[in-house]
């Protein structure tokens, strides 16, 4: 069971990767679990995905909350908030 992770904008720059295939487990079956697992990588992942940092998560191109479930085949994008004028 896998998902596609997309890192956009400054996160792509900081993590050094735009996309990765990620093996889904029971611990990563929600957005919160996925974020905790990514933070555990340490370094830029821990810093950029810290709870006090501003970023959004979309599952299959729909912005979701941390309690949203993730299932095999989903596309999960993590990106900074967009501003405009």
């Amino acid at each position: 069971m896998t998902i596609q992770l997309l890192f956009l904008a400054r996160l792509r720059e900081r993590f050094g990767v735009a996309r990765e295939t990620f093996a889904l487990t029971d611990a990563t079956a929600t957005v919160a679990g996925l974020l905790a697992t990514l933070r555990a990588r340490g370094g830029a992942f821990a810093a950029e995905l810290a709870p006090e940092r501003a970023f959004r998560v979309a599952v299959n191109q729909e912005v979701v909350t941390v309690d949203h479930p993730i299932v095999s085949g989903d596309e999960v994008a993590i990106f900074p908030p967009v501003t405009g004028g």
Side-chain angles (χ1 to χ4, degrees):
M1 296 180 19
T2 62
I3 61 171
Q4 290 298 309
L5 275 177
L6 305 175
F7 304 113
L8 305 174
R10 81 162 192 271
L11 299 179
R12 177 183 60 234
E13 307 283 323
R14 293 280 290 137
F15 300 158
V17 63
R19 168 187 296 266
E20 72 177 85
T21 300
F22 186 87
L24 200 60
T25 67
D26 289 342
T28 57
T30 65
V31 170
L34 174 63
L35 292 173
T37 299
L38 292 173
R39 286 181 192 117
R41 290 178 173 178
F45 285 93
E48 292 294 334
L49 300 177
E52 67 274 4
R53 292 298 304 254
F55 61 89
R56 302 281 184 261
V57 178
V59 175
N60 300 323
Q61 301 182 0
E62 180 181 330
V63 176
V64 298
T65 60
V66 295
D67 61 340
H68 190 82
I70 300 172
V71 297
S72 185
D74 280 349
E75 176 188 80
V76 179
I78 305 173
F79 54 95
V82 178
T83 61

